[in-house]
């Protein structure tokens, strides 16, 4: 799964970089999604490999805090990018004549800066909220990487502040992103239904399929993880272990496969890129 995630997303990043036909807002946003998937995979890779390949089952507390911060930051970044991509689809379908003037390179750059800044600023307090807690119940984590809900359960002090802040972050970022993605697709659907031609309707909706699949691949496991951590006290332990693995590993694997399979321009660009590489050899 790591090989597919890192290899697939790196290929998409390289294709967008070298192919002039992909120098458009939609593909810039796709390259940002691929970057966040690579970063997410790299954030979990060290401890996962140490645990399962080297049987090294311990991690320094400060290193765990750093890993927790980066995992949650890149996850939030991916959510923001999916929201930006839904805005791209909304403008492309509902206001196609102004697409080039609305989604300029400057706007895309501003979106990327805003998404990155939001992630790091919002989650900056998390390591400090954990560090202030005394850990005296147990030092055994449920996963081969560090997550905030898992770490705060090890504390033997009041974790109300951590729980409230975690819930606030979840609702104000992931929750709002999902709401606006849903709203954008309601507007897209209304616009598409006003198109007279059945073929044109299908053509318009087909441009959204890849993004819809990426949204489902990201948000369905995330909602499952949040539900299990908050309300699954009597859920079997293997479910607690399995759900975060699905949440962190499946989207980076599926996204390059989805966009390569469903986006004709990406497929063609990848084929041309590999042909040039073979000819140069």
């Amino acid at each position: 799964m790591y090989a597919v995630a890192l290899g697939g997303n790196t290929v998409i990043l390289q294709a967008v970089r070298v192919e002039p036909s992909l120098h458009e807002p939609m593909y810039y946003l796709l390259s940002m999604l691929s970057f966040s998937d690579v970063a997410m995979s790299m954030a979990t890779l060290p401890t996962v490999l140490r645990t399962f390949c080297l049987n090294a089952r311990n991690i320094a507390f400060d290193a765990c805090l750093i890993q927790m911060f980066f995992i949650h930051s890149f996850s939030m970044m991916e959510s923001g990018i999916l929201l930006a991509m839904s805005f791209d689809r909304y403008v492309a379908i509902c206001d196609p004549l102004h697409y080039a003037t609305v989604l300029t390179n400057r706007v895309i750059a501003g979106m990327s800066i805003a998404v990155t800044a939001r992630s790091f600023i919002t989650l900056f307090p998390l390591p400090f909220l954990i560090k202030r807690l005394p850990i005296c119940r147990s030092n055994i984590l449920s996963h081969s990487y560090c997550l905030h809900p898992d770490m705060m359960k090890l504390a033997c002090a009041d974790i109300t502040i951590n729980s409230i802040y975690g819930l606030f972050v979840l609702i104000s970022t992931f929750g709002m992103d999902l709401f606006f993605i849903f709203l954008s697709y309601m507007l897209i659907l209304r616009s598409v239904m006003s198109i007279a031609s059945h073929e044109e309707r299908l053509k318009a909706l087909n441009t959204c399929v890849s993004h819809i699949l990426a949204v489902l691949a990201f948000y369905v496991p995330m909602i499952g993880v949040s539900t299990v951590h908050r309300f699954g006290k009597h859920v079997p332990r293997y479910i607690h272990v399995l759900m975060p693995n699905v949440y962190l590993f499946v989207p980076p694997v599926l996204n390059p496969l989805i966009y390569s399979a469903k986006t004709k321009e990406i497929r063609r660009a990848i084929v041309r890129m590999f042909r040039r590489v073979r000819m140069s050899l």
Side-chain angles (χ1 to χ4, degrees):
M1 290 178 79
Y2 273 122
V4 173
L6 294 173
N9 285 294
T10 301
V11 166
I12 287 180
L13 282 169
Q14 182 66 4
V16 174
R17 188 182 74 85
V18 302
E19 285 293 330
S21 62
L22 299 183
H23 292 176
E24 296 179 9
M26 175 184 172
Y27 302 112
Y28 289 143
L29 291 170
L30 176 58
S31 67
M32 288 165 56
L33 184 68
S34 293
F35 172 79
S36 70
D37 283 337
V38 169
M40 175 76 80
S41 298
M42 293 303 294
T44 59
L45 182 64
T47 51
V48 172
L49 288 186
R50 287 180 73 250
T51 301
F52 294 111
C53 297
L54 305 177
N55 202 31
R57 299 178 178 272
N58 60 334
I59 182 172
F61 185 65
D62 289 339
C64 197
L65 291 176
I66 292 170
Q67 185 185 50
M68 176 196 74
F69 173 76
F70 280 117
I71 287 174
H72 288 298
S73 294
F74 290 127
S75 178
M76 186 182 291
M77 195 181 299
E78 182 152 345
S79 177
I81 293 166
L82 288 171
L83 174 60
M85 294 174 85
S86 73
F87 178 69
D88 168 82
R89 292 298 83 208
Y90 166 76
V91 176
I93 292 173
C94 299
D95 194 12
L97 296 179
H98 294 99
Y99 181 80
T101 56
V102 172
L103 287 170
T104 61
N105 288 344
R106 180 174 291 183
V107 170
I108 297 297
M111 284 182 176
S112 66
I113 293 169
V115 165
T116 305
R118 183 190 72 163
S119 301
F120 283 89
I121 292 170
T122 305
L123 294 170
F124 185 73
L126 274 191
F128 301 100
L129 288 174
I130 291 289
K131 199 171 178 65
R132 69 185 180 84
L133 298 172
I135 307 295
C136 53
R137 285 182 183 169
S138 168
N139 62 350
I140 300 173
L141 296 168
S142 303
H143 319 295
S144 51
Y145 40 81
C146 304
L147 297 177
H148 179 253
D150 200 23
M151 289 188 71
M152 70 180 183
K153 288 179 182 177
L154 304 181
C156 55
D158 185 18
I159 59 171
T160 303
I161 294 175
N162 293 69
S163 295
I164 291 173
Y165 189 74
L167 188 61
F168 164 75
V169 169
L170 195 66
I171 294 172
S172 64
T173 55
F174 294 99
M176 293 305 293
D177 288 350
L178 187 56
F179 170 76
F180 283 114
I181 289 171
F182 179 77
L183 179 63
S184 68
Y185 274 104
M186 288 298 98
L187 297 172
I188 287 170
L189 197 58
R190 188 181 68 176
S191 179
V192 168
M193 288 298 105
S194 66
I195 299 173
S197 170
H198 180 68
E199 289 184 3
E200 289 299 316
R201 284 186 204 168
L202 291 178
K203 186 177 178 181
L205 288 174
N206 193 51
T207 63
C208 301
V209 170
S210 298
H211 180 253
I212 291 170
L213 292 175
V215 168
L216 292 175
F218 178 78
Y219 280 105
V220 170
M222 190 201 72
I223 292 169
V225 169
S226 301
T227 304
V228 166
H229 270 297
R230 293 191 175 275
F231 308 110
K233 291 182 180 179
H234 304 294
V235 173
R237 187 174 178 275
Y238 68 86
I239 297 294
H240 283 271
V241 175
L242 177 65
M243 287 304 296
N245 284 334
V246 173
Y247 166 53
L248 290 178
F249 296 151
V250 169
V253 170
L254 287 185
N255 286 339
L257 298 178
I258 289 169
Y259 277 94
S260 298
K262 296 297 296 180
T263 310
K264 186 164 54 178
E265 292 79 5
I266 291 290
R267 280 202 311 274
R268 288 173 177 172
I270 291 172
V271 169
R272 285 197 298 268
M273 186 176 68
F274 279 113
R275 279 178 182 167
R276 282 201 296 270
V277 169
R278 190 175 64 181
M279 289 172 64
S280 65
L281 295 174

